[in-house]
Amino acid sequence: MASTDVVDNAKVVLILGNFVGADDILSWSDNARFQFNPSTNATGTSWKGGQSDEQELKQPFLCLRIGENLFSPAGWVLGSHDDSDICDIQIATTNQTGISRQACRIDISPQTHRPRVTRLSDRRIRIHGRTTIPLKQGLPQELVGPMTIDLGAVTFRAWVPARTATEAAQYKERARSYSKDIMGSLPKRLPSILSYNETSAEYVRYGTNNAVYVVEGSGIQGKGAHASVMRVKNVSTGEFFGAKEPYYKTSDNADTARKRFEALRAEYDHIKRLDHPHIVKAFDLVVAEDITLSPWMIVEYIPLTLSEALPGLDTSQRLIAMTHLSSALAHMHTSGVTHRDIKLDNALVIKRQRELIIKLADFGTSKQNESAKMDTFTGTEIYMAPELFNKPRLYTNKIDMWALGLIGMQLFTNWEPETDEQWDPDDFRTWVCNVALPEIARAPEFLQPMIKGLLRKSPVRRWSAWKCLKWLWRHEATDSPDETFKSGTDTTINRKRPASRDLQLLQGADDDRHRRSPNPTLSPTRVQVFVLQEDKSLPDTTSPSSRLLDVPVPSTASTPRIDDTTLDLNQQEDDESSGADTDLEEWQY
């Protein structure tokens, strides 16, 4: 494209300039089509985006315009590949510079219409503005104000031009049209020959491998805050699945439809990446031919929630539930994911004869948080940790552990959140002292320290999921299968079925040698404390217990941040080990 002296600000998404490390960028691939030569007229400075004269802007400039020079409507891809069908803009001549063939993508947010940058590779990318922001792979980062994008070998300045009110309205209209193009470009499967022609488009979706998902029965099986779940049948195979469908209106515009799809895709990606026996499985993400209809996430169909199953569970089965939920959370938190809406309704129950399996579900509010710091107010209020109500709000994955502590109270005491009239987010101290502590005394004695540890005021001192697993492993088996533990109210817990034995169903035949005898004893490796030294990786080993529970100890391949928001194994052991009645004394004073 020929360069121009005048730019239509209503079409411009982003201007790039001040390239360092890419001196010949206009000669690479088809980059010259993006070239922009601003007017030298002193009054025509809107293209600078309000940047002061002290901020020197150096040519060459590249201009990204809505709907122009895009190989894919998804956005402009930047990288080191010289094929413009793979990289819209080549910013390095080879990936030996440390810049991947497809390094990042620039597109438009459907919510704010600001430009966004998404890291596509595992190579580090940082954005420098008022603060430095490290990009997370696959997670879009909006550009608010002029920024410098740093890919290591190449850096460049990026900014939005200043728009008049008229230009801003025209840009918004074009950005919404861009969202419509994005939704229209999403891959759609061809209808299978087994498709039911008489089925309304609202109740059918076409998936991979000729799958045709048709709603079975009366439709909605369960409702959540943001979506409903339906029972669907793949008419190609006869299998039944669940279909999670975000709420929608046919009057929703393309921006809303795209935002909804991006949220569901993020949830789908979280579940696929986690892949754990106590996390619900996702199989497909399918869209409708009509973009006004909502997409579906195809998941395991498990109609029974822990809330519904609770009245029929004995104490041993409730212990299994606590163990399985701790297992799921330990794996999630090690992977840098916080659920943010832990409650009984989001735990699904599978009963197979005498076996019980619990699976964590509904990741619609989950957050990938490599920095481990969040500030969004989200979740179910009565399960929310105290720090969610603080101002300014700042919290970590320890909010999931507070919610797990409340689940422990529901499972092993008489506490019911629906009937709790004393819970007050403005006065947690009174609630803990007058409600929680008396109820915890009703739980089996060996579980009381764990529940107290989960309800600590300080997130740093609050027990981690891994700490809970170690505690449960430590107390789950004894030499005598008939031994019981007494609670503070003479309730007994039968120890014949250690909780982790239920996971033997999930092991293959080659794991037989790892299974325990019918009368297992407490192994020294079960209570091993893994040493975590400052600035060192976690050991790349697992205990026999972690194999049975399918929760590997984090390896050097996925080492979490060494701070108070991750698995507090050794350096916080003293803080977390107390089991005395004064364990929650921080609430009492």
Side-chain angles (χ1 to χ4, degrees), residues 548-573:
L548 281 169
L549 283 167
D550 203 20
V551 183
V553 176
S555 70
T556 54
S558 58
T559 304
R561 289 171 54 87
I562 311 298
D563 59 23
D564 61 20
T565 67
T566 58
L567 301 181
D568 4 347
L569 302 182
N570 184 54
Q571 68 269 34
Q572 295 184 25
E573 192 73 22

Side-chain angles (χ1 to χ4, degrees), residues 179-180 182-184 186-188 199-206 213 215 228 230 244-262 264 285-297:
S179 286
K180 186 176 181 179
I182 290 287
M183 294 304 296
L186 294 175
K188 298 177 177 65
T199 302
S200 167
E202 187 176 355
Y203 298 106
V204 64
R205 297 288 188 276
Y206 302 102
Y213 302 106
V215 175
S228 60
M230 302 173 292
K244 181 172 182 176
E245 180 182 68
Y247 297 131
Y248 72 98
K249 296 180 292 185
T250 55
S251 59
D252 289 339
N253 60 45
D255 281 338
T256 302
R258 182 171 160 229
K259 182 173 64 175
R260 183 169 53 230
F261 174 77
E262 288 187 356
L264 192 64
L285 185 62
V286 293
V287 296
E289 289 291 326
D290 184 349
I291 66 170
T292 63
L293 299 178
S294 186
W296 291 355
M297 180 170 64

Side-chain angles (χ1 to χ4, degrees), residues 297-496:
M297 180 170 64
I298 306 301
V299 297
E300 292 178 277
Y301 181 64
I302 308 174
L304 186 63
T305 68
L306 185 53
S307 178
E308 296 165 336
L310 187 59
L313 300 182
D314 60 28
T315 310
S316 179
Q317 290 172 318
R318 296 179 185 214
L319 178 60
I320 292 170
M322 199 70 178
T323 304
H324 290 188
L325 289 175
S326 298
S327 172
L329 287 173
H331 180 71
M332 283 180 56
H333 292 173
T334 302
S335 302
V337 177
T338 303
H339 189 282
R340 302 202 298 180
D341 196 16
I342 299 296
K343 57 182 178 181
L344 291 190
D345 286 336
N346 287 339
L348 305 180
V349 178
I350 300 175
K351 287 186 175 182
R352 295 174 181 167
Q353 298 178 348
R354 297 177 58 193
E355 305 296 342
L356 184 76
I357 297 174
I358 308 297
K359 295 204 173 194
L360 192 58
D362 197 347
F363 285 73
T365 60
S366 62
K367 179 78 171 178
Q368 177 79 33
N369 55 309
E370 292 177 7
S371 65
K373 303 294 183 181
M374 293 160 280
D375 59 9
T376 306
F377 187 79
T378 187
T380 302
E381 279 205 352
I382 199 165
Y383 289 91
M384 288 182 180
E387 56 266 30
L388 275 158
F389 298 93
N390 291 341
K391 294 181 180 180
R393 186 181 303 113
L394 191 64
Y395 59 87
T396 69
N397 61 26
K398 288 298 186 74
I399 64 168
D400 286 347
M401 304 317 300
W402 174 276
L404 185 65
L406 296 184
I407 286 179
M409 284 177 54
Q410 278 186 269
L411 293 177
F412 299 104
T413 76
N414 294 328
W415 180 72
E416 289 289 346
E418 292 82 2
T419 59
D420 187 342
E421 297 181 354
Q422 298 188 53
W423 181 82
D424 183 355
D426 295 325
D427 190 3
F428 274 96
R429 176 184 174 277
T430 298
W431 179 83
V432 168
C433 295
N434 294 344
V435 177
L437 284 174
E439 283 297 330
I440 292 172
R442 299 174 179 269
E445 189 173 344
F446 80 98
L447 284 175
Q448 292 180 22
M450 184 179 74
I451 299 176
K452 289 179 181 179
L454 289 169
L455 297 183
R456 284 175 168 168
K457 181 179 182 180
S458 169
V460 175
R461 298 187 65 235
R462 196 175 300 153
W463 281 25
S464 65
W466 183 247
K467 171 72 176 180
C468 292
L469 277 176
K470 288 197 296 180
W471 190 266
L472 292 165
W473 289 342
R474 205 173 269 148
H475 295 87
E476 72 173 347
T478 62
D479 289 336
S480 170
D482 296 320
E483 184 172 345
T484 59
F485 283 81
K486 295 281 186 178
S487 77
T489 56
D490 295 328
T491 304
T492 61
I493 177 168
N494 193 315
R495 307 312 305 280
K496 284 188 178 182

Side-chain angles (χ1 to χ4, degrees), residues 39-57:
S39 170
T40 57
N41 186 339
T43 60
T45 60
S46 62
W47 65 273
K48 291 184 177 181
Q51 297 178 84
S52 65
D53 293 336
E54 285 75 19
Q55 173 63 53
E56 185 179 3
L57 300 177

Side-chain angles (χ1 to χ4, degrees), residues 140-286:
Q141 175 64 50
E142 289 191 8
L143 299 180
V144 182
M147 302 246 182
T148 296
I149 299 177
D150 180 359
L151 292 90
V154 175
T155 64
F156 55 89
R157 190 81 171 162
W159 66 92
V160 174
R163 299 187 179 96
T164 65
T166 300
E167 289 172 337
Q170 292 172 345
Y171 173 79
K172 181 178 180 180
E173 183 179 345
R174 288 189 170 110
R176 185 160 292 167
S177 178
Y178 169 82
S179 286
K180 186 176 181 179
D181 290 342
I182 290 287
M183 294 304 296
S185 71
L186 294 175
K188 298 177 177 65
R189 274 71 183 190
L190 294 175
S192 164
I193 58 174
L194 299 176
S195 176
Y196 289 171
N197 292 328
E198 66 272 17
T199 302
S200 167
E202 187 176 355
Y203 298 106
V204 64
R205 297 288 188 276
Y206 302 102
T208 55
N209 301 319
N210 290 323
V212 181
Y213 302 106
V214 179
V215 175
E216 283 283 310
S218 58
I220 295 176
Q221 302 290 314
K223 291 185 176 182
H226 307 286
S228 60
V229 177
M230 302 173 292
R231 183 174 184 253
V232 298
K233 180 180 181 180
N234 181 355
V235 298
S236 301
T237 64
E239 297 176 281
F240 289 97
F241 297 91
K244 181 172 182 176
E245 180 182 68
Y247 297 131
Y248 72 98
K249 296 180 292 185
T250 55
S251 59
D252 289 339
N253 60 45
D255 281 338
T256 302
R258 182 171 160 229
K259 182 173 64 175
R260 183 169 53 230
F261 174 77
E262 288 187 356
L264 192 64
R265 183 173 58 188
E267 181 179 359
Y268 175 78
D269 290 342
H270 280 165
I271 296 174
K272 293 291 287 185
R273 183 172 62 254
L274 290 171
D275 188 24
H276 188 270
H278 296 305
I279 292 175
V280 67
K281 292 189 179 301
F283 301 104
D284 209 348
L285 185 62
V286 293

Side-chain angles (χ1 to χ4, degrees), residues 64 68-78 86-89 104-108 116 120 178 182 185 258:
L64 309 184
E68 293 185 11
N69 302 317
L70 276 169
F71 178 75
S72 166
W76 293 272
V77 174
L78 284 63
I86 296 175
C87 272
D88 298 283
I89 301 177
C104 63
R105 180 177 58 242
I106 296 175
D107 72 340
I108 304 171
R116 304 185 302 186
L120 302 179
Y178 169 82
I182 290 287
S185 71
R258 182 171 160 229

